[in-house]
Amino acid sequence: MRAGHRGAGRVATYVVLVVAALFAVFPIWWIVSTSLESPARAYSFPAALIPQGTAANYTTAWQEGPWGRFLLNSLGIGFATTAFVLATGILAAYAIVFLPSRWTRAAFPLVLATMMVPFYAILVPDYLIVRDLGWLNTYISQVVPFAASGFAIFLLVQFMRGFPRALRDAARMDGAGELRFLWSVVVPNLVPALVTVGVYTFLQSWNAFLWPLIVTTSSSVQPIQVGLANFLSTANGTNWTVLAAAAAITAAPMLLLYVLAQRKVVESVSRTGLKG
Amino acid sequence: MLTARQDPAGDRPGSLGLAPRPTGRGGPRRTSLWRSVSGVLFMAPALVVLLVFWLVPLILVVVFSLFHWDYGTNPQFVGTEQYHIVLSDPLFGQAVLTTLVFAAVVVAVGTAFSLLVAVVLYSEVQARGLFRSLVFLPYVMPMVATSTIWLWMFQPGSGVVDRLMHAVGLPGQVAWLNSSTLALAALCIYTIWYGFGFTALLFTAGLTAIPSEVLNAGLVDGAGAWQRFRYLVWPLLTPTTLFVVVVNTISAFQAFTQIYALTRGGPVNATTTLTYYIYETAFTYFHFGAASASAVVLFVFVVVLTAAQFLLSRRYVFYDEATA
């Protein structure tokens, strides 16, 4: 693509790029612009592309649903899940890399196996386990089943294996215990990997839908995705400007995260693998 | 998945502190015992979660599938009869067909489109980073939020899709989500929209791994852009393509959120895929046994399909140290 037919080739290249970018971005732009329109103007197509700038839909949407609560629930569940995944992941990866025994060697394949388990396959047993634990309609049921992740452990093991052996030996010579070495040497050196895993875990938790749909029934513990789905299916079914405002509220934190740390988000998602 | 594979047992010679080494305290034996115990303790929190919520349920779902069990009733062992019931349910057959059509369209069109985008992104273009961020954006947005907006875009008459079709002279007033064929098409469009930036990124990773000498050699030999793609890039990219096809197939089989938000499996079950069928069987009708049997069937389906893709493409996939 460096020589010959440059002109035509380059035009075609940019046409494909622009079409792909428009296709990707337009619906997201459409959430924003519809949410800032009066209902009447939202229906006049080319005009509605540049929104009028009314905040009325946001006020209406905010009054019609407990969005503040939903946002707090999702944030809380997201941060708690991320913290647990990192904590359990660091400990497990440390055991696999630095404290190997036949037990850890036997357990690691089990950890890896969980990456292959499709969630829909274990939906019914998981629901029944959570029900029998008395966890239906709680925060716990949305955090604990995801408090450890095979992917996270796998990735942290990869990073820890890159640690210079001399570092561990030096710490042992100095008489540092396992926890001390883990906390003051391994963790500080692991920050980029932890951010990668953390961003991905938070994203996945924020976007989770099927599981909270099944295990929660009241808005006091529901995450914002389920809140939006319920808002969509109740009376507001055709009030598109208000719905768009609600959708924008739901997407805003992710949009913000993406604008602020776009490189890290792309890296996290592509390294950690598959969503859903 | 893109990271280098490591020996799971981790006992390669020369890797980090893997052999129990004698230290000053208490001699080799005690150290090694102490290390085993703390290793197990360190792994325990993760193991408990993964066992209780991921591995044991995988066994349980097979057990449940052998029981006739509705919510509030006592489970009754019926053996494989549950599978006969599920497999002879016409709705199950329809769901299998719907899933296959949905997966085939999403995988074929989605893979081709994202390959095109990746090739274009890989060539020397201005603002590559910006374009990459833009096409990736749908993949990080919450699906319920973006499904809501596509629902609005697919409205007959007032929706953007209809207006765009009208603007280019196509028939207007198309009730996308009320027609069985078009509803499935709408789901395919949404799903391709949602995922193509991600798969394009996987392809760009594969393209970056192609040695530039190969392409330069093609240039020297006077090959055009298409010829270089067809005879150099495409064969060298086959491992990535296979990976993308497998990833797309698996995620198409698992699609749920967009179906729930856009069509609820309708109209008249036209977009009820296997995952949605399992959800409805289990959590609308509370037939836990039947839902478990369908889940097992779907799981076997996905495993077989994935294996088949690997076997079938063995002939066409070019594996090489530099690219694989």
Side-chain angles (χ1 to χ4, degrees):
Chain A
M1 293 137 217
R2 238 164 258 165
H5 312 298
R6 269 193 88 101
R10 287 198 86 65
V11 170
T13 302
Y14 280 103
V15 167
V16 172
L17 267 187
V18 170
V19 167
L22 276 179
F23 176 54
V25 171
F26 178 80
I28 291 156
W29 172 249
W30 201 235
I31 300 181
V32 178
S33 69
T34 305
S35 73
L36 296 169
E37 277 305 346
S38 66
R41 205 161 167 274
Y43 287 88
S44 53
F45 170 51
L49 274 174
I50 311 296
Q52 226 172 8
T54 165
N57 301 311
Y58 285 90
T59 344
T60 314
W62 198 266
Q63 279 161 0
E64 286 180 12
W67 299 103
R69 182 83 215 184
F70 288 144
L71 277 172
L72 279 179
N73 289 346
S74 280
L75 283 174
I77 293 162
F79 282 124
T81 307
T82 309
F84 275 117
V85 164
L86 292 180
T88 57
I90 291 168
L91 287 174
Y94 185 87
I96 290 159
V97 176
F98 292 106
L99 301 167
S101 63
R102 55 193 176 118
W103 303 106
T104 61
R105 267 193 272 275
F108 194 38
L110 284 181
V111 169
L112 294 179
T114 60
M115 296 197 288
M116 319 290 174
V117 177
F119 191 56
Y120 60 79
I122 54 171
L123 210 53
V124 170
D126 262 353
Y127 171 81
L128 293 167
I129 289 170
V130 161
R131 186 196 65 176
D132 290 346
L133 288 167
W135 288 358
L136 283 185
N137 209 28
T138 60
Y139 292 124
I140 301 178
S141 63
Q142 300 176 68
V143 174
V144 172
F146 310 100
S149 140
F151 267 122
I153 296 169
F154 174 68
L155 244 132
L156 293 176
V157 163
Q158 305 262 337
F159 277 98
M160 282 192 202
R161 287 217 166 118
F163 264 64
R165 177 194 202 126
L167 222 56
R168 179 72 196 96
D169 291 344
R172 285 231 170 99
M173 297 289 263
D174 290 348
E178 300 300 344
L179 276 173
R180 170 96 194 281
F181 173 65
L182 169 61
W183 186 249
S184 44
V185 181
V186 177
V187 169
N189 282 296
L190 212 60
V191 170
L194 295 178
V195 175
T196 301
V197 174
V199 166
Y200 176 76
T201 307
F202 186 81
L203 198 102
Q204 206 178 26
S205 173
W206 186 272
N207 295 343
F209 179 67
L210 175 55
W211 179 249
L213 177 75
I214 294 166
V215 296
T216 64
T217 44
S218 82
S219 57
S220 59
V221 294
Q222 270 168 345
I224 193 157
Q225 306 307 331
V226 176
L228 178 62
N230 288 341
F231 191 67
L232 182 64
S233 61
T234 52
N236 315 286
T238 50
N239 199 345
W240 296 111
T241 52
V242 175
L243 267 169
I249 295 171
T250 314
M254 281 299 114
L255 208 55
L256 192 73
L257 180 70
Y258 195 64
V259 170
L260 292 179
Q262 164 261 123
R263 199 167 274 274
K264 201 71 209 179
V265 172
V266 173
E267 191 213 307
S268 293
V269 174
S270 53
R271 281 206 74 147
T272 321
L274 320 169
K275 202 174 95 168
Chain B
M1 305 286 302
L2 294 177
T3 42
R5 216 160 273 170
Q6 297 266 347
D7 175 18
D11 48 7
R12 294 162 304 142
S15 92
L16 268 180
L18 287 172
R21 330 192 86 233
T23 61
R25 283 180 297 168
R29 194 168 282 265
R30 197 180 137 197
T31 310
S32 123
L33 175 69
W34 170 242
R35 211 177 282 180
S36 303
V37 170
S38 42
V40 170
L41 284 178
F42 276 36
M43 278 198 91
L47 272 185
V48 168
V49 169
L50 294 176
L51 280 176
V52 172
F53 293 101
W54 294 85
L55 294 175
V56 171
L58 202 57
I59 300 165
L60 285 180
V61 77
V62 178
V63 175
F64 290 170
S65 73
L66 304 174
F67 284 83
H68 187 72
W69 185 13
D70 294 347
Y71 194 86
T73 65
N74 282 326
Q76 236 187 326
F77 183 79
V78 290
T80 54
E81 199 199 302
Q82 194 62 255
Y83 287 91
H84 290 291
I85 297 171
V86 166
L87 292 173
S88 58
D89 178 2
L91 187 53
F92 182 84
Q94 197 192 333
V96 171
L97 198 65
T98 308
T99 312
L100 289 176
V101 172
F102 174 73
V105 173
V106 168
V107 171
V109 181
T111 307
F113 183 52
S114 54
L115 175 59
L116 177 68
V117 172
V119 167
V120 165
L121 269 175
Y122 178 69
S123 67
E124 294 158 23
V125 290
Q126 301 279 312
R128 183 194 300 182
L130 174 71
F131 279 116
R132 195 172 17 208
S133 310
L134 291 179
V135 297
F136 198 75
L137 186 57
Y139 196 71
V140 292
M141 290 291 105
M143 287 183 104
V144 185
T146 53
S147 297
T148 304
I149 216 67
W150 276 94
L151 194 61
W152 159 221
M153 286 168 58
F154 278 128
Q155 288 307 303
S158 56
V160 174
V161 177
D162 222 36
R163 280 156 188 274
L164 283 179
M165 284 172 63
H166 190 72
V168 295
L170 290 165
Q173 296 290 336
V174 179
W176 283 85
L177 301 170
N178 290 331
S179 131
S180 20
T181 5
L182 290 179
L184 195 58
L187 274 179
C188 292
I189 294 172
Y190 173 85
T191 309
I192 291 166
W193 171 80
Y194 170 77
F196 85 94
F198 174 64
T199 40
L201 195 83
L202 296 181
F203 271 127
T204 359
L207 285 168
T208 318
I210 294 178
S212 55
E213 306 93 72
V214 174
L215 294 178
N216 288 338
L219 267 179
V220 171
D221 290 348
W226 168 250
Q227 283 173 315
R228 266 175 289 144
F229 175 77
R230 175 66 189 82
Y231 298 106
L232 297 174
V233 176
W234 176 250
L236 288 171
L237 204 60
T238 39
T240 314
T241 311
L242 174 63
F243 178 62
V244 167
V245 166
V246 170
V247 163
N248 274 345
T249 309
I250 292 173
S251 71
F253 269 84
Q254 301 212 34
F256 175 79
T257 307
Q258 66 269 52
I259 301 172
Y260 185 91
L262 284 172
T263 63
R264 292 279 172 114
V268 212
N269 302 318
T271 55
T272 298
T273 60
L274 276 174
T275 325
Y276 199 82
Y277 177 88
I278 293 171
Y279 164 77
E280 279 212 310
T281 310
F283 299 104
T284 307
Y285 307 114
F286 294 101
H287 302 316
F288 291 144
S292 299
S294 335
V296 172
V297 172
L298 175 52
F299 186 38
V300 171
F301 229 100
V302 172
V303 170
V304 167
L305 212 64
T306 313
Q309 280 171 341
F310 273 103
L311 290 176
L312 279 177
S313 47
R314 188 177 270 174
R315 286 179 49 192
Y316 306 103
V317 175
F318 178 88
Y319 285 107
D320 183 78
E321 284 294 296
T323 50

